[in-house]
Amino acid sequence: MNNNDKISPAVIRRLPKYYRYLGELTKMGLNKTSSRELSEMTGFSASQIRQDLNNFGGFGQQGFGYDVENLRNEIARILGLDKKYKIIIIGAGNIGQAIANYTGFYEADYEVVALFDKNPKLIGMSMRNALIKDIDELEEFLNVENIDIAVICTPKSVSQQVAEQLVQCGIRAIWNFAPKDLKMPDYVHVENVHLNESLFSLTYYYNQMNKKKSE
Amino acid sequence: MNNNDKISPAVIRRLPKYYRYLGELTKMGLNKTSSRELSEMTGFSASQIRQDLNNFGGFGQQGFGYDVENLRNEIARILGLDKKYKIIIIGAGNIGQAIANYTGFYEADYEVVALFDKNPKLIGMSMRNALIKDIDELEEFLNVENIDIAVICTPKSVSQQVAEQLVQCGIRAIWNFAPKDLKMPDYVHVENVHLNESLFSLTYYYNQMNKKKSE
DNA sequence: TAGATTGTTAATCGATTAACAATC
DNA sequence: TAGATTGTTAATCGATTAACAATC
């Protein structure tokens, strides 16, 4: 268990997938699995799966495999899915509202406690249990509440400025949906969801396929 | 220009970023740039940028650099942003509606022509210029209209089945927002936006930082 | 025990970086 | 011309895969 070494981001991005497939195995009533079986499900090689898991410890049993529930719990613990997280969303437009209403976060205990916007038409509305507040109240709010994660769903023109304000108020984890790369100090982690970049690469591959077809 | 070699996905995923920063340079009124300047903006090494671009051709001028507008156009052409694309969205819930209303696709000519859902409360509503239709009309619709890209925003339980139906009707490019890996034939390209996986890795890094802080 | 599968080391592969000749 | 910066080859680095001893 070398918890102190830096784990490659590629490994971290595979963990949620293992976690998801282990959940499916549980649902199917299976309590034992192997790197070979996980390989078939995920498409990653069995060797890679064993390498990945052994970054965090030996969760398997030689000659036997892995206990599904145990391995799932271990991955949950590694990712931190065994804890509660309070989230705020900045920008209550299309994307902000969609995230607020998104039910796909059930795996862990994520709670959207508030949204912030500057549009008076939106302020005062509520999404699920979260109220849309005036962006001017953001700092005051952050001084009182203990927020773990901030989601940026503003237009890109203000995203950098909003991010800086968040960091000044103590936020250290940002989930960024604005199509812009935020310049942030090292102690802030930014996870980007760049929808346009995703769509552009899909477009590239779509055209590649059409090219091949017409050859 | 070795258009026929397979370009690494890592390269393709950087292209939209180059494209975006070149747009910013244009806005700033600059018409000349260099791999060094792009390196400072994007955070990728100058060497990598030159390598990436030279997968597609020599767009620069030795001793001078790159013409901003020309390079931007070339990347647009490589990605296919110089063409029009018709999109449909399957599932008109939170995410589906957000995508339909998303204005961040202005770079290229993407048009959402219809949404599909099975919820009678949603059917008949319209998002921007697109109508929400009954999912039962999907096949008929695809037989008549020429659709380039389908976006899956359904619950994960039906995503695989929906994807198969789309492929049967000729769809070859899928933008998948359902938290599930679609099993698809090779001639279909799937681009995944797995929001929960993204949030989970953010959670991991958030906890890592807290661990460091308390050491 | 024999068979199976992990944990882990070594080999391979691919992607990134460095270096530099070409040349504007 | 001299300085600058590309295009491209070679070197390095890191991640993936293969192999196999450990062991259940």
Side-chain angles (χ1 to χ4, degrees):
Chain A
M1 263 205 246
N2 45 358
N3 262 324
N4 286 330
D5 289 358
K6 242 175 218 148
I7 312 284
S8 142
V11 175
I12 302 305
R13 247 170 298 117
R14 283 191 291 269
L15 293 181
K17 235 167 209 125
Y18 299 145
Y19 182 74
R20 176 154 54 80
Y21 281 104
L22 288 163
E24 286 183 18
L25 288 171
T26 302
K27 250 185 227 156
M28 290 159 67
L30 298 169
N31 49 29
K32 170 196 178 296
T33 189
S34 66
S35 58
R36 186 187 41 72
E37 187 173 49
L38 286 169
S39 168
E40 278 161 26
M41 296 180 87
T42 61
F44 305 132
S45 78
S47 191
Q48 181 168 63
I49 291 169
R50 293 202 299 279
Q51 286 274 29
D52 282 357
L53 297 176
N54 278 82
N55 281 303
F56 304 98
F59 303 131
Q61 206 174 2
Q62 278 166 326
F64 176 80
Y66 300 91
D67 180 89
V68 171
E69 203 188 321
N70 175 253
L71 184 55
R72 188 155 183 269
N73 288 339
E74 290 287 358
I75 293 176
R77 191 184 48 73
I78 293 164
L79 290 170
L81 305 184
D82 52 348
K83 294 183 194 147
K84 282 190 176 195
Y85 301 96
K86 288 194 176 178
I87 295 183
I88 58 169
I89 298 172
I90 320 298
N94 305 312
I95 302 285
Q97 291 190 22
I99 300 296
N101 286 310
Y102 191 52
T103 53
F105 304 145
Y106 44 79
E107 312 275 8
D109 213 336
Y110 297 101
E111 185 197 0
V112 175
V113 293
L115 296 89
F116 292 87
D117 207 291
K118 64 164 201 181
N119 183 346
K121 282 182 196 155
L122 293 173
I123 295 166
M125 279 176 59
S126 70
M127 312 259 95
R128 304 210 158 225
N129 294 323
L131 204 67
I132 303 181
K133 293 173 187 285
D134 192 319
I135 184 75
D136 291 340
E137 295 171 29
L138 178 60
E139 290 201 15
E140 206 186 315
F141 181 89
L142 285 172
N143 287 337
V144 179
E145 295 276 336
N146 228 319
I147 300 298
D148 299 289
I149 296 169
V151 190
I152 296 187
C153 299
T154 65
K156 67 174 171 183
S157 53
V158 297
S159 57
Q160 176 65 35
Q161 176 213 313
V162 162
E164 284 168 14
Q165 196 183 7
L166 289 165
V167 170
Q168 253 167 16
C169 297
I171 292 291
R172 295 295 175 261
I174 293 177
W175 203 18
N176 177 40
F177 285 76
K180 186 136 200 288
D181 298 320
L182 303 172
K183 309 273 184 229
M184 291 279 117
D186 283 347
Y187 54 84
V188 178
H189 185 84
V190 179
E191 180 78 25
N192 290 303
V193 180
H194 284 168
L195 294 178
N196 53 353
E197 295 181 9
S198 170
L199 181 58
F200 290 175
S201 50
L202 174 59
T203 304
Y204 171 82
Y205 288 108
Y206 174 60
N207 281 297
Q208 285 301 107
M209 280 184 307
N210 287 344
K211 228 182 263 175
K212 240 181 255 165
K213 210 166 48 181
S214 65
E215 258 165 22
Chain B
M1 264 205 245
N2 45 356
N3 262 323
N4 286 331
D5 289 358
K6 243 177 218 150
I7 312 285
S8 141
V11 175
I12 302 305
R13 247 171 297 118
R14 283 191 292 269
L15 293 181
K17 233 165 210 126
Y18 300 145
Y19 182 75
R20 176 154 54 79
Y21 280 104
L22 288 164
E24 285 183 19
L25 288 171
T26 303
K27 251 185 225 156
M28 290 159 67
L30 299 168
N31 47 30
K32 171 198 177 296
T33 190
S34 65
S35 58
R36 186 187 42 72
E37 187 174 49
L38 287 170
S39 169
E40 279 161 25
M41 296 180 88
T42 61
F44 305 132
S45 78
S47 191
Q48 182 168 61
I49 292 170
R50 293 202 299 280
Q51 286 274 29
D52 282 357
L53 297 176
N54 278 81
N55 281 304
F56 305 98
F59 302 132
Q61 206 174 1
Q62 276 166 327
F64 175 81
Y66 300 91
D67 180 89
V68 171
E69 202 188 322
N70 174 252
L71 183 56
R72 189 155 183 269
N73 288 338
E74 290 286 359
I75 294 176
R77 190 183 48 74
I78 293 163
L79 290 171
L81 305 183
D82 53 348
K83 295 183 195 149
K84 284 190 174 194
Y85 300 96
K86 288 195 175 177
I87 295 183
I88 57 170
I89 297 171
I90 319 299
N94 304 312
I95 302 284
Q97 290 190 21
I99 300 296
N101 287 310
Y102 191 52
T103 54
F105 304 145
Y106 44 77
E107 312 275 8
D109 213 335
Y110 297 102
E111 186 196 0
V112 175
V113 293
L115 295 89
F116 292 86
D117 208 290
K118 66 163 199 181
N119 183 347
K121 284 183 193 154
L122 293 173
I123 295 165
M125 280 177 58
S126 69
M127 312 260 96
R128 306 210 157 225
N129 294 323
L131 204 67
I132 304 180
K133 294 173 187 284
D134 191 318
I135 186 75
D136 291 340
E137 296 170 29
L138 177 61
E139 290 201 15
E140 204 186 316
F141 181 90
L142 286 171
N143 288 336
V144 179
E145 295 277 336
N146 227 318
I147 300 299
D148 298 290
I149 297 169
V151 190
I152 295 187
C153 300
T154 65
K156 68 175 171 180
S157 53
V158 297
S159 57
Q160 176 66 35
Q161 175 213 316
V162 163
E164 285 167 14
Q165 196 183 8
L166 289 165
V167 170
Q168 252 167 16
C169 297
I171 292 292
R172 295 294 176 260
I174 292 177
W175 203 17
N176 177 40
F177 284 77
K180 187 138 200 287
D181 299 318
L182 303 171
K183 310 273 183 229
M184 290 279 117
D186 284 346
Y187 54 84
V188 177
H189 186 83
V190 179
E191 181 77 25
N192 289 304
V193 180
H194 284 169
L195 293 178
N196 53 353
E197 295 181 9
S198 172
L199 181 59
F200 290 175
S201 49
L202 175 58
T203 303
Y204 171 82
Y205 287 108
Y206 174 61
N207 282 299
Q208 284 301 106
M209 281 184 307
N210 288 344
K211 228 181 267 178
K212 242 181 254 165
K213 210 165 48 182
S214 65
E215 260 165 21

